[in-house]
Amino acid sequence: MTEQTAAERPGISAAIVVHENRVLMVRRRISEGQLSWQFPAGEIEAGETSEQAAVRETHEEVGLTVTAIKSLGGRVHPKSGRNMSYTACAVASGTAYVADTDELAELKWVALADIPEFVPYGLFEPVQAHLDSELS
């Protein structure tokens, strides 16, 4: 089996879920390289927009119903090499819990000042800018 390039693999959509002055982060059971803590995220399925994927993945992973607020852009992730898109989301209903126990080990609502402890290499600039404005 040959390794697929980023262009051949489905894009990954991440949900930036802000609630009560915290952002939702999840810890994967299996790290992707240096990625241990990250935002709820998963592959964009055929016929789905990145915003729809962010909403669906958040529900599948942590049981929250969220609404997409706006796109925060995309990039090729420097650690995983995957095409990433980021969507700002708001909680519509539910309480976050580890719904996908196969993929996730735990979740935390993280304060702005604590994000570097979870993501020491820094966030995608538009995501950081969004969190700076939402959580300050």
Side-chain angles (χ1 to χ4, degrees), residues 50-123:
S50 58
E51 289 84 1
Q52 289 167 330
V55 167
R56 177 184 49 77
E57 284 289 339
T58 302
H59 191 263
E60 289 175 3
E61 290 187 355
V62 300
L64 276 180
T65 301
V66 298
T67 52
I69 308 286
K70 65 179 177 181
S71 171
L72 299 174
R75 65 172 174 173
V76 173
H77 197 283
K79 304 294 182 194
S80 69
R82 299 292 297 267
N83 281 316
M84 294 288 306
S85 62
Y86 301 85
T87 301
C89 295
V91 175
S93 65
T95 300
Y97 66 99
V98 176
D100 186 345
T101 54
D102 291 339
E103 280 199 28
L104 301 184
E106 62 182 312
L107 63 82
K108 283 196 174 17
W109 289 99
V110 180
L112 182 64
D114 297 333
I115 291 171
E117 293 173 34
F118 292 85
V119 187
Y121 48 82
L123 297 175

Side-chain angles (χ1 to χ4, degrees), residues 12-68:
I12 303 289
S13 182
I16 314 305
V17 182
V18 170
H19 186 63
E20 294 178 351
N21 217 34
R22 299 272 191 279
V23 64
L24 181 62
M25 301 201 76
V26 296
R27 187 169 65 80
R28 300 262 165 230
R29 287 203 173 278
I30 299 162
S31 299
E32 271 193 73
Q34 289 183 333
L35 289 180
S36 175
W37 284 95
Q38 60 189 71
F39 302 110
E43 290 188 349
I44 300 168
E45 295 178 353
E48 216 176 26
T49 65
S50 58
E51 289 84 1
Q52 289 167 330
V55 167
R56 177 184 49 77
E57 284 289 339
T58 302
H59 191 263
E60 289 175 3
E61 290 187 355
V62 300
L64 276 180
T65 301
V66 298
T67 52

